[in-house]
């Protein structure tokens, strides 16, 4: 036994490896990303980023069907994308074990919405395991592969930001050897879900759920901790930790298997305590499930959205709120900003000049919605910008202000290209701008189909975005360097003036990919007129100095020269030597 300090995500990767998983596939998304990155570094495994979560699950399903234990990773919204194969894979079942790791983000630290992935359990009829710490993240992931094979079903391991990103001690035991891939045996009754076969598998699924429910009654994944019988709390995931901290004397039914629930054991627990309550964050999944089983948990009025904390739990149930340190007063707010030298800035500068209505998407470029760029009008889900731009035009918008979609390279290959096909097919005349910085920057620089590199560091084919756009029927496709502000503006003006569907690919690498900085710039205060044009670019290296004149912080400036191009008074000039920042 070797103790190690691991985050929940690292522990999931270790658990999959310990279970002998051979294949890992995912799409990045905070707070799940690190699980696959760590798995990819393990000995004897194959791991890849897929262009989206649906493809990731399908690749893993094929690997499972072919006999390899497989792990799929994604954030909560990714499950919406992967839901189509998920539901039918519950019918087909698996070959070798198939575990889907999904990380939810209550409180929306880095997400556009909150979703409670436990709901996929009863919805798709697949088991959901909920670890409460890193140690369980490893054990439950490992157990998930066994359950998957035992009940012939994909298994969801659900975490939340606090579980994924907090570190805890994990005892590493001897790992299982990679399971050799067995011979593939054709079985169309199991794998070809046409109606006649699907009806049979549906009955089999119902039977498998019944078997899982009876397994749940005895499963070591659930745990009853009887203490003071005056209060009994049903809880799961990170909320178990909050309950233990806030009410250490209370009796607890800790759900590790959140679907199917053990009806008998829960009823027994209700009988053994005076008051029954549920402590859970996100949806009231457990509480309504308990009611559906005929139990009567008391409502305790916890918040409906956002994260819980030991303090909130203590206040709701009369415990002692734990002592916490107050934040240091007077700290300046630090809203997220595009980095100095970010190539997205040039694209927004051009779009602002034509006063475009910009249907936006998700990535670093979403920051273009904030002041001072203020150049994005919507952000809904990955890929939505393209279809929404078409919808805006259908509503008759665009005669006074052009309608433009803005989408990053990873987001375009995730789910933007199907939207573009729709626009071409249905004769839209919108402008689609692909902000191609060669990487999935927002989630921490994961490779994607345009990056030319795989997750495991192998050089590979790059998607030819220009050819891809032409192939779906876009006639006007052009590429421009967003750091050339005049060229960017010219391209935007010409394409919004055209009455055809067009694509502009703004191509320049993410500023954090550039290893050697160019020389930084400085403001000549004698020439600066405090007109603020450079400040309106929203570069964190430029601020308002004395007398309202611009000031450039040479420690932040990477020498992209965007500001030099907007200055009408030639007040920004090179200074000092170039320096090597090492790159990311
Ligand atoms: C369905 C779904 N999966 C994953 C995410 C997490 N996510 C947010 S933006 C993004 C990709 C951003 O990359 P890109 O489009 O290349 O833009 P960049 O950040 O590089 O500017 C990802 C993976 C998400 N929001 N939704």
């Amino acid at each position: 036994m070797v103790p190690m300090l691991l985050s929940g995500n690292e522990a999931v990767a270790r658990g999959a490896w310990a279970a002998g998983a051979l294949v890992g596939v995912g799409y990045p998304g905070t707070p799940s990303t690190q699980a696959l990155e760590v798995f990819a570094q393990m000995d004897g495994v194959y791991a890849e980023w897929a262009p989206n979560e649906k493809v990731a699950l399908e690749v893993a399903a094929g690997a499972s069907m072919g006999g390899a234990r497989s792990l799929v990773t994604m954030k909560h919204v990714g499950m919406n994308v992967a839901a189509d194969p998920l539901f039918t894979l519950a019918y087909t079942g698996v070959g070798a074990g198939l575990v889907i790791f999904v990380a939810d983000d209550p409180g929306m630290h880095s997400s556009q919405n909150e979703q409670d992935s436990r709901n996929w359990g009863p919805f798709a009829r697949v088991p959901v395991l909920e670890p409460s710490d890193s140690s369980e993240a490893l054990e439950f992931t490992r157990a998930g592969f066994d359950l998957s094979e035992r009940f012939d079903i994909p298994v969801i391991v659900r975490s939340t930001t606090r579980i994924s990103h907090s570190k805890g001690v994990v005892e590493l035991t001897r790992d299982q050897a990679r399971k050799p891939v067995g011979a593939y045996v054709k079985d169309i009754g199991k794998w070809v879900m046409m109606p006649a076969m699907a009806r049979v598998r549906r009955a089999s699924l119902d039977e498998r759920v019944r078997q899982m429910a009876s397994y749940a009654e005895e499963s070591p994944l659930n745990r009853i901790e009887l203490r003071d019988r005056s209060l009994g709390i049903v809880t799961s995931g990170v909320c178990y930790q909050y309950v233990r901290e806030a009410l250490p004397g209370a009796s607890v039914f800790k759900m590790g298997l959140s679907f199917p629930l053990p009806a008998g054991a829960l009823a027994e627990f209700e009988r053994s305590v005076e008051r029954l309550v549920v402590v859970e964050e996100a949806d009231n999944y457990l509480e309504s499930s308990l009611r559906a089983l005929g139990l009567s948990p008391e409502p305790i009025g916890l918040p409906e959205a956002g994260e819980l904390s030991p303090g909130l739990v203590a206040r709701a149930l009369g415990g002692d709120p734990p002592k916490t340190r107050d934040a240091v007063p007077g700290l300046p707010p630090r809203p997220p900003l595009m980095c100095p030298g970010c190539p997205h800035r040039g694209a927004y500068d051009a779009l602002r000049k034509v006063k475009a209505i910009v249907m936006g998407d998700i990535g670093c470029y979403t920051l273009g919605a904030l002041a001072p760029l203020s150049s994005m009008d919507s952000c809904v889900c990955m890929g939505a910008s393209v279809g929404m731009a078409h919808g805006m035009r259908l509503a008759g918008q665009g005669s006074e202000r052009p309608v433009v979609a803005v989408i990053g390279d990873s987001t375009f290959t995730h789910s933007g290209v199907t939207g573009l096909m729709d626009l071409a097919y249905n004769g839209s005349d919108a402008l689609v701008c692909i902000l191609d910085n060669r990487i999935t920057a927002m989630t921490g620089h994961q490779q994607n189909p345009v990056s030319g590199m795989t997750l495991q560091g192998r050089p590979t084919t790059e998607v030819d975005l220009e050819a891809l756009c032409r192939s779906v029927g876009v006639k006007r496709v052009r590429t421009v360097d967003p750091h050339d502000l005049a060229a960017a503006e010219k391209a935007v003006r010409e394409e919004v003036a055209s009455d055809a569907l067009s694509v502009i690919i703004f191509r320049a690498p993410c500023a954090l990919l550039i290893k050697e900085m160019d020389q930084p710039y400085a403001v000549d205060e004698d020439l600066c007129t405090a007109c603020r044009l450079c400040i309106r670019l929203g570069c964190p290296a430029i601020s308002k100095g004395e007398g309202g004149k611009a000031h450039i912080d040479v420690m932040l400036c990477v020498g992209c020269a965007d500001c030099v191009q907007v200055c009408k008074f030639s007040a920004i000039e090179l200074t000092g030597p170039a320096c090597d920042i090492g790159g990311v």
Side-chain angles (χ1 to χ4, degrees), residues 192-212:
V192 181
M193 285 303 92
M194 52 175 68
M197 277 88 134
R199 282 184 210 114
V200 176
R201 288 304 291 178
R202 169 58 205 253
S204 143
L205 177 56
D206 292 341
E207 177 52 30
R208 283 176 281 150
V209 172
R210 275 191 289 277
Q211 287 169 9
M212 288 187 282

Side-chain angles (χ1 to χ4, degrees), residues 27-30 53 75 77-79 81 110-112 344 362-366 381-382 407-412 414 435 437-443 446 448 510:
Y27 184 72
T30 313
E53 294 85 353
K75 72 181 291 174
V77 276
M79 280 296 265
V81 182
S110 46
S111 306
Q112 71 270 35
H344 299 335
I362 309 193
C364 288
Y365 53 94
T366 313
C381 69
M382 289 190 78
I407 185 163
D409 47 277
S410 184
T411 306
F412 183 71
H414 177 279
L435 307 194
N437 61 359
R438 318 304 295 159
I439 202 82
T440 318
M442 175 128 197
T443 43
Q446 289 73 33
N448 70 48
C510 169

Side-chain angles (χ1 to χ4, degrees), residues 74-159:
M74 62 192 70
K75 72 181 291 174
H76 60 285
V77 276
M79 280 296 265
N80 307 333
V81 182
D84 201 4
L86 172 71
F87 277 69
T88 306
L89 286 169
Y91 282 45
T92 63
V94 301
L98 175 58
V99 167
I100 304 165
F101 170 61
V102 55
D104 292 0
D105 187 17
M108 295 173 275
H109 295 277
S110 46
S111 306
Q112 71 270 35
N113 68 11
E114 282 184 1
Q115 285 180 203
D116 190 330
S117 296
R118 295 176 299 174
N119 291 303
W120 295 109
F123 196 13
R125 297 181 170 77
V126 295
V128 178
L129 310 190
E130 263 197 281
S132 286
D133 58 24
S134 296
S135 176
E136 285 189 352
L138 189 153
E139 283 314 323
F140 285 19
T141 306
R142 190 200 324 233
F145 283 97
D146 293 337
L147 287 185
S148 171
E149 287 169 7
R150 177 167 166 188
F151 295 106
D152 189 18
I153 194 103
V155 170
I156 293 175
V157 173
R158 182 252 188 178
S159 111

